[in-house]
Amino acid sequence: MDNKMVPANEAFRLLMAELIVDKAIRDYREKELYREIDRALAQGDEAAFLLLTSELRSLQGIA
C-alpha cells in the first residue's frame, strides 16, 4: 500500500482528533480572554479591553 494512501476510517479518526484539539485550544483561549478582559476592566485599561473583546468576538465568530 502506498504511504500516501490513508484508509477512510483512519482519515476520519485523524480529522476527529484535529477537531477535538482545535476546540480545546479555542475553549482555553476563550477562558483566557475572559480573564484578561476582567483584568483590563479592573485596571481601567480601555485599550486592552477593546483589543481583547475584539479578539474574543473574532474567536466566537461574532462580527
Side-chain angles (χ1 to χ4, degrees):
M1 179 160 91
D2 189 293
N3 287 347
K4 295 179 183 177
M5 297 292 293
V6 178
N9 61 348
E10 180 64 17
F12 179 74
R13 282 197 302 269
L14 291 171
L15 177 60
M16 291 304 297
E18 184 176 344
L19 290 171
I20 290 167
V21 169
D22 285 349
K23 180 166 179 8
I25 291 169
R26 278 192 317 274
D27 289 350
Y28 176 80
R29 182 60 185 147
E30 185 174 325
K31 287 178 186 175
E32 286 295 306
L33 283 168
Y34 277 116
R35 282 193 273 273
E36 292 176 28
I37 288 168
D38 286 344
R39 190 174 350 188
L41 284 170
Q43 295 173 351
D45 187 344
E46 182 180 358
F49 172 80
L50 292 173
L51 182 67
L52 293 163
T53 55
S54 176
E55 183 179 343
L56 179 62
R57 284 193 310 273
S58 177
L59 183 67
Q60 294 173 333
I62 302 170

